[in-house]
Amino acid sequence: MKSCKDILTHSIFKPPELTPEQWEEQARKVREWEQAQADSLRAQRIERASIPARYLQAVPDYPGVGEWAADPTVGLLLQGKVGRGKTHQACAALLAHIANGNTAKFTTFDDLIRECKATFRNSDTEEAVIARYANTGMLCIDDMGKERPTEWSLPIIFSIINKRSMSGKPTVITTQYTGRQLFERLTVGDKETAWAIISRMMEYRRIEIDGKDWRRGDNIG
């Protein structure tokens, strides 16, 4: 019976004898394989992020957005009238984050409220909803204030935003409302929780998206 020493002695790995051209070809194939793996992982992250198809080619080209996306702080607040490109820039920030190997999640404020309401019917747990949005690398909540929350959903929304602020995870929020208007939209008999959400958002970098209405075919100016 051979000892381990004998096996190692007679099993020395010898690389194949290849020409420089053949080595370069092998290296090229390895690079292509690695790139394919990276592209596959990126595609999976984009699919899980639930970014609307119309924004999958979005680029963070509005002043200040690209700078923030390159080195995101705790939050980014994009304010502006309807159709000015807030969602486009928010999705662009998510895509930039994903391109750097991170996870991201897109949701509308309406959809988030519906998920919160679903916990009341026990189709999903409150903890699961909070974890789903609090733990992702970057979160976008689009059109905050468009629908009024319920007294049940508001504390869940606060928990998500607060946990992300506490952990330093970047959050992007878009809204057509000013601070006072948004506070009034969020207040459903619970002013303290509404104000707590607004106070967390005051930590965010605020960018006003101005210009012409994209949805009418105009270019932003």
Side-chain angles (χ1 to χ4, degrees), residues 14-215:
K14 293 182 179 180
E17 296 181 1
L18 301 175
T19 65
E21 292 77 13
Q22 289 173 322
W23 276 114
E24 178 57 32
E25 177 64 14
Q26 292 300 315
R28 182 186 65 80
K29 290 181 178 179
V30 169
R31 289 194 298 270
E32 289 180 349
W33 179 84
E34 290 175 339
Q35 186 60 53
Q37 293 299 305
D39 291 344
S40 176
L41 287 173
R42 180 175 180 273
Q44 292 174 27
R45 292 191 185 102
I46 290 175
E47 183 177 1
R48 289 195 291 267
S50 302
I51 297 172
R54 66 183 296 184
Y55 299 116
L56 290 178
Q57 303 302 320
V59 176
D61 53 7
Y62 194 86
V65 177
E67 176 188 353
W68 181 87
D71 185 21
T73 53
V74 67
L76 176 66
L77 176 62
L78 301 177
Q79 287 182 304
K81 296 179 181 179
V82 173
R84 266 48 181 184
K86 299 184 298 298
T87 304
H88 181 99
Q89 293 303 314
C91 289
L94 294 186
L95 289 168
H97 202 60
I98 291 172
N100 289 329
N102 304 295
T103 60
K105 185 71 174 175
F106 175 93
T107 186
T108 65
F109 191 60
D110 292 1
D111 286 343
L112 182 55
I113 290 175
R114 278 191 282 273
E115 287 195 54
C116 294
K117 289 178 179 178
T119 66
F120 186 72
R121 299 190 299 270
N122 296 321
S123 60
D124 201 356
T125 66
E126 182 176 323
E127 291 77 13
V129 171
I130 292 173
R132 182 154 56 243
Y133 293 104
N135 296 333
T136 190
M138 181 181 286
L139 173 66
C140 171
I141 303 177
D142 190 43
D143 265 337
M144 179 173 276
K146 184 177 180 180
E147 181 176 327
R148 288 184 179 275
T150 64
E151 290 189 43
W152 177 266
S153 62
L154 195 64
I156 299 177
I157 294 169
F158 168 73
S159 292
I160 292 169
I161 292 175
N162 185 56
K163 285 180 179 294
R164 296 187 63 80
S165 292
M166 295 296 287
S167 62
K169 293 182 181 295
T171 303
V172 183
I173 291 177
T174 77
T175 184
Q176 60 181 297
Y177 301 104
T178 64
R180 170 56 61 180
Q181 291 170 335
L182 188 57
F183 172 71
E184 293 174 352
R185 297 287 300 177
L186 296 178
T187 300
V188 284
D190 185 356
K191 292 184 178 181
E192 288 76 13
T193 302
W195 176 248
I197 291 174
I198 296 296
S199 68
R200 297 300 181 277
M201 292 169 58
M202 289 171 66
E203 303 171 356
Y204 295 5
R205 176 171 181 179
R206 177 186 171 276
I207 297 178
E208 184 174 358
I209 305 294
D210 197 7
K212 298 180 180 179
D213 193 338
W214 283 24
R215 296 176 187 176

